[in-house]
Amino acid sequence: MCGIVGVVAKTNVNQALYDALTVLQHRGQDAAGIVTCDDGRFFLRKDNGLVRDVFRTRHMQRLVGNMGIGHVRYPTAGSSSSAEAQPFYVNSPYGIVLAHNGNLTNARELVEEVYREDLRHVNTSSDSEVLLNVFAHELHSQKKLVPSAEDIFETVKAVHKRVKGGYAVIGMIAGYGVVGFRDPHGIRPVVYGVRETQNGPEYMIASESVALDALGYKLVRDIAPGEAIYIDVDGNLHTQQCAENPVTVPCIFEHVYFARPDSIIDKISVYKARLKMGSRLAEKILRERPDHDIDVVIPIPDTSRSSAVELANRLGVKYREGFMKNRYIGRTFIMPGQQLRKKSVRQKLNALDLEFRGKNVLLVDDSIVRGTTCEQIIEMARDAGANKVYFASAAPPVRFPNVYGIDMPAKEELIAHGRSVEEVQKEIGADWLVYQDLNDLIEATCDGADVSYDFDCSVFNGEYITGDIDEAYLNKLQESRSDTQKSTSDVENAIIDLHNDDEND
């Protein structure tokens, strides 16, 4: 999962981009990058690390210009070298930079197309660079000295026809403007907003509305599935639907875990959705254990707090903060490598004995993926003196890998894959385990929101909405996502195959 932002303003945008990326830091902590444009020239700074570490005063002073884009990244199946940091750049046509959140499910095929048909070279293992080259080729095909908004939209239409998967994209064309677009299913989120100034409107495109809020922009709306928006260098906004059959099927895991609670995604308040998840989960507990002996509900910080508060209220038991968090440790879910992940949990959380000793505790988390974290946290609760340790997940069992931009592990590394709830309970060492039902999760997410669409729930039900995922694809994905095999991605393999084919010709 990554965070993207683009700004077209009347003054320098470097500080606005930096501030927006710090707000979106939860979406990626591996690398960060900013590109600005001034008088038709790009100015770039990107590297591995947190936003605050990548950008120093000397870098910010060089990032001049009234429009720019930014990106925060976490590593998926590719390498985590600085070569993978975004935005990516190509010099033809015009000069284009691009930042991307998501995953192209046909990246391997596209690498070959780009090489053999578009005559373009992909230099990294990132599918974002593949996407940039596809976009650049299609824009070049418009054969215009000065690209118009219509040329941009025709380009995005062509990209949609070639590219499959989940993607939210922000690109910038040197001297001309910033474009943002979203896959035809709307799997990955992206919004835009406006800020009125004395010199005219300024626009921001971002992964989440919280970035707009933090910088004083008014949320206009989500970019619709398949839609593109183009803001030219003079600040004129153009929008057009660019997909033939768009349908809104956003990723529900954004509401479960990734997004900040103060964001609004596809007209849904993330905070309110998580409250409802807690309420629905409490109802299930009351159905299954009407005479429960829970003394206290304790969240596993931070994303489960909203659900845990409402769950405790509905059960009529105390809500307490039992774990103190070290805020200088990253999110364990997005850390590469199981050993590093295991080590970080006890560095990240410390149990407060006062809230555990002699009590029957219900721990609440947003979800259970590998089970590594919750297993260690249950041990911590017992070490702190808990009498019984129950565990509740605000999401259903995660049984299938994600193919649309979330680096969920190979299915064999998912603790719920091939196991019953009782078997998972035994594996993590809980006295009782309860999961949210999928129907309740969907209803909780939509409850109170004026929406009428389905969600991508593939990590829970194995139904991949783009229709191009089969067992062979999942097997290849498993090879690249295994903790012991993360050095080589599908894109990297495709590049290697192309060079080998050329040597054999």
Side-chain angles (χ1 to χ4, degrees):
M1 191 61 60
C2 301
I4 56 176
V5 62
V7 177
V8 178
K10 305 301 180 181
T11 57
N12 282 337
V13 297
N14 52 355
Q15 189 65 51
L17 291 168
Y18 176 93
D19 291 343
L21 289 182
T22 61
V23 174
L24 297 173
Q25 185 77 86
H26 61 286
R27 300 187 69 86
Q29 302 167 4
D30 182 64
I34 289 176
V35 180
T36 60
C37 185
D38 184 56
D39 195 25
R41 291 184 59 198
F42 286 143
F43 300 86
L44 165 67
R45 167 62 181 171
K46 62 179 182 177
D47 203 352
N48 280 6
L50 300 175
V51 174
R52 69 186 181 210
D53 299 322
V54 170
F55 301 101
R56 303 294 185 179
T57 301
R58 65 184 183 277
H59 304 129
M60 296 296 289
Q61 289 173 341
R62 295 170 189 158
L63 293 171
V64 295
N66 293 1
M67 66 178 184
I69 67 174
H71 185 269
V72 288
R73 173 187 184 274
Y74 86 92
T76 52
S79 73
S80 59
S81 70
S82 58
E84 301 295 316
Q86 299 183 38
F88 286 112
Y89 164 75
V90 290
N91 65 359
S92 176
Y94 316 113
I96 305 171
V97 288
L98 180 143
H100 161 230
N101 172 34
N103 183 60
L104 308 186
T105 54
N106 65 334
R108 190 180 181 90
E109 294 82 358
L110 286 172
V111 169
E112 185 165 355
E113 281 186 21
V114 165
Y115 179 73
R116 298 196 183 282
E117 298 178 23
D118 299 350
L119 304 181
R120 288 178 169 271
H121 175 66
V122 177
N123 197 51
T124 72
S125 61
S126 173
D127 62 344
S128 301
E129 190 189 9
V130 179
L131 180 55
L132 168 59
N133 277 277
V134 172
F135 181 89
H137 174 78
E138 296 301 337
L139 184 57
H140 181 80
S141 299
Q142 303 302 315
K143 299 187 182 301
K144 296 289 183 66
L145 181 62
V146 178
S148 66
E150 188 58 35
D151 296 324
I152 305 299
F153 295 141
E154 289 300 316
T155 297
V156 175
K157 289 177 184 178
V159 170
H160 284 327
K161 290 178 180 178
R162 294 181 62 180
V163 170
K164 297 178 182 178
Y167 50 93
V169 181
I170 298 178
M172 180 167 59
I173 304 166
Y176 293 109
V178 169
V179 58
F181 58 95
R182 192 178 184 190
D183 71 81
H185 291 90
I187 299 172
R188 300 267 65 88
V190 62
V191 301
Y192 78 95
V194 63
R195 181 172 66 184
E196 298 294 340
T197 71
Q198 291 181 341
N199 297 320
E202 298 179 338
Y203 292 94
M204 176 184 286
I205 307 169
S207 292
E208 295 183 32
S209 64
V210 66
L212 308 179
D213 298 338
L215 278 86
Y217 284 77
K218 180 182 178 181
L219 173 64
V220 176
R221 60 177 174 83
D222 302 89
I223 295 178
E227 184 184 26
I229 73 169
Y230 176 61
I231 307 153
D232 63 36
V233 69
D234 297 319
N236 300 306
L237 176 71
H238 312 265
T239 68
Q240 189 175 120
Q241 176 55 252
C242 297
E244 293 179 353
N245 298 296
V247 58
T248 305
V249 194
C251 175
I252 202 166
F253 214 74
E254 290 280 353
H255 298 281
V256 170
Y257 174 78
F258 271 108
R260 275 184 37 160
D262 43 347
S263 286
I264 297 173
I265 296 178
D266 293 306
K267 301 181 181 179
I268 297 171
S269 163
V270 176
Y271 173 71
K272 187 173 182 180
R274 289 179 184 166
L275 286 177
K276 298 291 185 179
M277 291 174 202
S279 178
R280 296 285 178 137
L281 192 53
E283 291 172 6
K284 181 174 181 179
I285 291 172
L286 291 173
R287 288 195 306 270
E288 295 192 0
R289 291 204 169 188
D291 299 322
H292 68 80
D293 58 352
I294 300 167
D295 296 316
V296 61
V297 172
I298 295 177
I300 298 173
D302 284 317
T303 48
S304 63
R305 280 199 173 100
S306 303
S307 296
V309 166
E310 191 65 13
L311 187 152
N313 287 339
R314 292 299 297 268
L315 292 183
V317 301
K318 295 177 182 178
Y319 168 90
R320 290 290 186 268
E321 293 284 345
F323 294 103
M324 298 299 106
K325 184 176 181 181
N326 179 355
R327 307 242 169 230
Y328 302 97
I329 298 291
R331 299 177 93 172
T332 56
F333 176 84
I334 58 178
M335 286 185 177
Q338 188 77 342
Q339 289 185 337
L340 177 59
R341 198 176 296 114
K342 282 186 175 181
K343 181 180 178 182
S344 69
V345 175
R346 285 187 178 266
Q347 293 176 340
K348 180 178 179 180
L349 296 176
N350 187 46
L352 189 61
D353 290 13
L354 177 65
E355 298 298 348
F356 290 93
R357 193 158 303 282
K359 298 177 182 177
N360 296 332
V361 178
L362 176 64
L363 302 180
V364 181
D365 206 352
D366 53 79
S367 59
I368 304 173
V369 182
R370 292 175 177 88
T372 308
T373 300
C374 57
E375 180 182 358
Q376 292 188 64
I377 287 174
I378 289 169
E379 289 177 3
M380 292 168 64
R382 294 197 191 282
D383 291 344
N387 180 33
K388 292 182 180 178
V389 182
Y390 307 132
F391 204 95
S393 168
V398 176
R399 302 189 189 278
F400 305 92
N402 185 279
V403 302
Y404 301 125
I406 301 175
D407 190 29
M408 291 208 170
K411 58 185 179 182
E412 278 71 15
E413 295 173 12
L414 297 168
I415 194 169
H417 179 76
R419 289 189 176 98
S420 66
V421 173
E422 292 73 19
E423 289 170 331
V424 175
Q425 175 183 315
K426 183 178 180 180
E427 285 287 325
I428 65 176
D431 292 300
W432 182 56
L433 171 63
V434 59
Y435 281 103
Q436 185 89 262
D437 292 333
L438 182 54
N439 286 340
D440 284 342
L441 175 64
I442 294 171
E443 291 176 5
T445 304
C446 293
D447 193 4
D450 184 21
V451 297
S452 57
Y453 44 71
D454 296 323
F455 291 92
D456 166 51
C457 301
S458 54
V459 297
F460 306 123
N461 59 18
E463 297 175 5
Y464 298 100
I465 59 174
T466 51
D468 58 333
I469 306 303
D470 55 19
E471 196 63 30
Y473 181 95
L474 294 176
N475 289 337
K476 286 182 178 292
L477 187 71
Q478 180 172 331
E479 292 175 8
S480 65
R481 284 190 175 176
S482 169
D483 270 333
T484 59
Q485 299 292 330
K486 280 204 172 184
S487 61
T488 306
S489 73
D490 281 350
V491 175
E492 209 167 357
N493 279 325
I495 295 170
I496 293 169
D497 290 346
L498 283 174
H499 288 299
N500 288 342
D501 288 345
D502 290 341
E503 290 173 3
N504 293 332
D505 286 343

